[in-house]
Amino acid sequence: DAKTTQPPSMDCAEGRAANLPCNHSTISGNEYVYWYRQIHSQGPQYIIHGLKNNETNEMASLIITEDRKSSTLILPHATLRDTAVYYCIVRVGETSGSRLTFGEGTQLTVNP
Amino acid sequence: DAGVTQSPTHLIKTRGQQVTLRCSPKSGHDTVSWYQQALGQGPQFIFQYYEEEERQRGNFPDRFSGHQFPNYSSELNVNALLLGDSALYLCASSVLQGWETEAFFGQGTRLTVV
């Protein structure tokens, strides 16, 4: 699985959009980008994934650059409950499966 | 739907002892994976069980072993506990039918070795 690089921490004001970047410059053509988040002392939670097109669901939007070497997870209207560690994972397969390689992620803190 | 349930939620053991952690997968799921998460780090894959057999394994010593039962529930056993085994242990379940679906995680068991 390709290695990912994320900033260790970010802050966001409540109600504003949170944009979390991820670099995956060695991504292969058959690897998908997955995002999970982990609220303190809970298990990780799937957010969204994509291959090369932008994706949106009820939780977030995923923007993947045309060269697929980086992506951005967007939480359009962040709330205090979005404070969590966000993990960007790159792996082969349209579904994530349960063998995931987690990095250290980005600690997002949403401030009132 | 109860989701993935793990027991106990917290556990304190003494160095050298053995521990067993339990996981019940989400209803309809047949595959269980275990992760170890040290403080401040991302979860690390230990192993995965499917059809009562270990299917994949991460870089963990043989002190870590597991079992899956016919009802798909699973146990994680750790022998000869070390202080460094203190961590949050997470269980994830999924469905494997040709390909594996998205994983759902439990809340974890916090193990403290003293």
Side-chain angles (χ1 to χ4, degrees), chain B residues 28-71:
Chain B
H29 285 193
D30 57 11
T31 304
V32 173
S33 296
W34 287 92
Y35 286 78
Q36 179 194 67
Q37 185 174 23
L39 201 61
Q41 298 184 18
Q44 300 299 306
F45 176 81
I46 303 175
F47 44 53
Q48 181 187 73
Y49 275 82
Y50 173 68
E51 292 189 332
E52 303 179 46
E53 292 189 356
E54 184 179 295
R55 182 170 173 264
Q56 300 185 66
R57 189 179 182 93
N59 188 26
F60 279 80
D62 291 345
R63 297 187 299 108
F64 289 77
S65 63
H67 189 76
Q68 186 179 34
F69 300 93
N71 67 353

Side-chain angles (χ1 to χ4, degrees), chain B residues 14-19 63-64 78-83 85 113:
Chain B
T14 302
R15 187 173 48 184
Q17 285 188 317
Q18 179 263 345
V19 68
R63 297 187 299 108
F64 289 77
V78 186
N79 294 322
L81 284 167
L82 304 174
L83 296 180
D85 294 331
V113 182

Side-chain angles (χ1 to χ4, degrees), chain A residues 13-85:
Chain A
E14 188 177 18
R16 303 298 294 268
N19 298 292
L20 292 93
C22 178
N23 287 320
H24 31 79
S25 58
T26 60
I27 192 170
S28 300
N30 61 348
E31 289 183 310
Y32 286 72
V33 180
Y34 288 86
W35 283 83
Y36 277 75
R37 75 178 183 183
Q38 186 174 23
I39 296 171
H40 182 62
S41 293
Q42 295 184 21
Q45 175 191 24
Y46 166 81
I47 301 173
I48 198 169
H49 75 279
L51 180 62
K52 54 183 178 181
N53 296 319
N54 298 338
E55 302 287 345
T56 296
N57 63 20
E58 65 279 3
M59 290 183 68
S61 295
L62 174 61
I63 309 297
I64 302 174
T65 58
E66 192 168 343
D67 63 7
R68 302 208 325 121
K69 292 185 177 182
S70 65
S71 60
T72 301
L73 178 74
I74 301 172
L75 308 178
H77 304 286
T79 71
L80 299 180
R81 287 173 294 183
D82 292 321
T83 292
V85 178

